[in-house]
Amino acid sequence: MNTPSATWQQALADAFDSVADLCAYLQLSPADLNLPEHASAFPLRVPRDFAARMQAGNPDDPLLRQVLPDLAELNDYPGYNDDPVGDLQAVAQTGVIHKYHGRILLIATGACAVHCRYCFRRNFPYAELQLSGQKVDSAVAYVEQRQEISEVILSGGDPLLLSDTKLEQLMRRFAEISHIKRIRIHTRTPVVLPQRITGELLKAFSKLSAQLVMVLHANHAQELSDSVKHICSELRHCGVTLLNQSVLLKGINDDGERLCELSERLFSFNILPYYLHLLDRASGVGHFEVSEAKARALHQHLQRHLPGYLVPKLVMEQAGAAYKIPIC
Ligand SMILES: *Cc1c(COP(=O)(O)O)cnc(C)c1O
Ligand code: SF4
């Protein structure tokens, strides 16, 4: 039986960190899975609340497939590398990625509430590049010196793994800069660890002087449980604009009907679909790739079946480009 954890920190500490435990919980035999022989340097991490949304006994469960290490991660795919989107060449200073006009992205932390096998930053040198201590002062100075920056994006890793105090301070320091209109948070935590959205955090959000946008990350309707719906409505009540980005993943959501379902369910949670990303070519993720031709066909399916505002933009990230490139 699952006893609910008392705090989000406890829920995070209770997350599955062993393939054997997760398999036992889901009544799966490791022999039925394509597991690597040795533990990966990017270990398993799955909050129990998220694991509870997986179907027991199903090795192909679309949520399980996103988090379970696979032998195929060791395959070499041409064109796949450790910095697929040119983040490193866009590092303005420690913790600050300035790639696009008018907005900067901060590497607020390297930690995440879940480890997604397809993650494009799975090989990112967080230890060297995350924002901490005095680096925050120089990031603030960087933004103060540039009038054209109107939006600060907290990313990572996952910024919601910072303590309330750290997160609140970070948001406030940037929100207080006169030319900053919006603080944006890129996070998968509300979806995988809804306990993180505490009353305290909501209070911190409502006090912020800038507008707050939260870009969530769900790839499949099955991820959107009632507990997620509840915290989304609380976030909406605090005036947070909720958007979602997904990654197109082979065998997980590369299906027109599944993607329609995802958009519909997102909207019923007050979340608008924002981006549908082609996979970024990070080493170890090649087995998740969906071809551009198939992606286009899927996007057309969405356009044929959904109102325009429920069709996410299909995009790919290109090193050195001025924006995420639309595919259509
Ligand atoms: C994706 C991304 C952004 C935000 O781009 P939008 O198109 O505004 O969502 C900003 N900076 C970096 C480095 C990014 O990767
Ligand atoms: S939550 Fe986001 S940054 Fe973290 S592992 Fe998943 S995709 Fe990567």
Side-chain angles (χ1 to χ4, degrees):
M1 284 301 286
N2 261 342
T3 351
S5 315
T7 60
W8 71 266
Q9 289 91 343
Q10 191 59 47
L12 188 63
D14 289 345
F16 286 104
D17 56 7
S18 120
V19 172
D21 289 350
L22 181 62
C23 286
Y25 171 75
L26 293 173
Q27 298 157 30
L28 287 168
S29 152
D32 296 337
L33 303 166
N34 194 32
L35 295 170
E37 205 173 316
H38 301 288
S40 158
F42 183 59
L44 177 111
R45 175 177 262 189
V46 188
R48 285 178 183 265
D49 197 282
F50 191 69
R53 300 170 218 164
M54 298 173 186
Q55 189 189 25
N58 180 6
D60 296 322
D61 180 89
L63 277 51
L64 178 66
R65 291 285 313 282
Q66 294 180 48
V67 298
L68 191 71
D70 194 298
L71 193 55
E73 290 175 28
L74 303 175
N75 296 350
D76 225 358
Y77 290 87
Y80 282 65
N81 61 62
D82 282 351
D83 182 25
V85 302
D87 271 347
L88 294 179
Q89 73 195 45
V91 172
Q93 55 185 58
T94 305
V96 179
I97 302 185
H98 192 178
K99 204 170 184 179
Y100 300 140
H101 179 82
R103 55 237 196 259
I104 58 152
L105 183 144
L106 302 178
I107 304 291
T109 170
C112 291
V114 66
H115 288 173
C116 313
R117 305 318 300 178
Y118 55 84
C119 180
F120 75 105
R121 290 215 185 104
R122 56 180 282 167
N123 315 307
F124 198 76
Y126 284 117
E128 297 146 53
L129 285 176
Q130 78 190 35
L131 207 60
S132 62
Q134 304 149 353
K135 307 285 169 47
V136 177
D137 298 335
S138 27
V140 169
Y142 183 89
V143 175
E144 280 171 342
Q145 286 153 16
R146 290 170 177 79
Q147 290 285 333
E148 76 279 10
I149 298 177
S150 58
E151 180 167 356
V152 171
I153 303 171
L154 307 189
S155 182
D158 197 314
L160 290 194
L161 283 209
L162 295 174
S163 69
D164 286 352
T165 317
K166 275 200 177 145
L167 183 61
E168 192 176 353
Q169 272 174 8
L170 195 61
M171 290 189 303
R172 182 152 27 88
R173 291 199 61 188
F174 287 98
E176 279 170 356
I177 300 171
S178 61
H179 51 272
I180 291 302
K181 297 180 184 143
R182 288 177 300 278
I183 301 289
R184 190 196 313 182
I185 301 181
H186 280 184
T187 174
R188 188 148 160 71
T189 299
V191 172
V192 301
L193 191 79
Q195 296 94 322
R196 174 65 188 98
I197 310 301
T198 59
E200 279 301 298
L201 185 65
L202 291 167
K203 217 182 289 167
F205 287 164
S206 353
K207 279 196 298 202
L208 212 62
S209 56
Q211 284 190 293
L212 188 59
V213 180
M214 201 176 261
V215 181
L216 305 175
H217 174 180
N219 301 310
H220 194 286
Q222 195 182 316
E223 293 173 47
L224 299 169
S225 66
D226 290 344
S227 51
V228 177
K229 185 170 195 170
H230 176 71
I231 54 112
C232 285
S233 86
E234 298 201 310
L235 287 164
R236 286 292 300 138
H237 281 132
C238 291
V240 180
T241 298
L242 297 175
L243 306 174
N244 182 69
Q245 52 182 343
S246 308
V247 182
L248 201 50
L249 298 166
K250 187 172 174 177
I252 294 172
N253 62 5
D254 57 340
D255 175 277
E257 240 170 273
R258 294 291 88 74
L259 289 171
C260 284
E261 243 170 53
L262 173 61
S263 278
E264 291 281 2
R265 196 154 171 84
L266 285 167
F267 192 72
S268 74
F269 280 43
N270 274 308
I271 310 166
L272 279 173
Y274 179 37
Y275 280 141
L276 178 60
H277 294 268
L278 288 194
L279 187 73
D280 292 321
R281 295 181 160 172
S283 314
V285 311
H287 56 296
F288 285 115
E289 181 166 320
V290 175
S291 73
E292 211 177 297
K294 177 150 193 203
R296 259 196 207 102
L298 289 169
H299 194 247
Q300 279 161 12
H301 180 94
L302 292 180
Q303 287 179 309
R304 270 198 302 272
H305 290 84
L306 293 172
Y309 60 90
L310 291 189
V311 180
K313 294 184 182 67
L314 178 66
V315 292
M316 68 181 289
E317 186 99 17
Q318 217 169 62
Y323 46 86
K324 301 189 202 292
I325 311 292
I327 312 285
C328 43

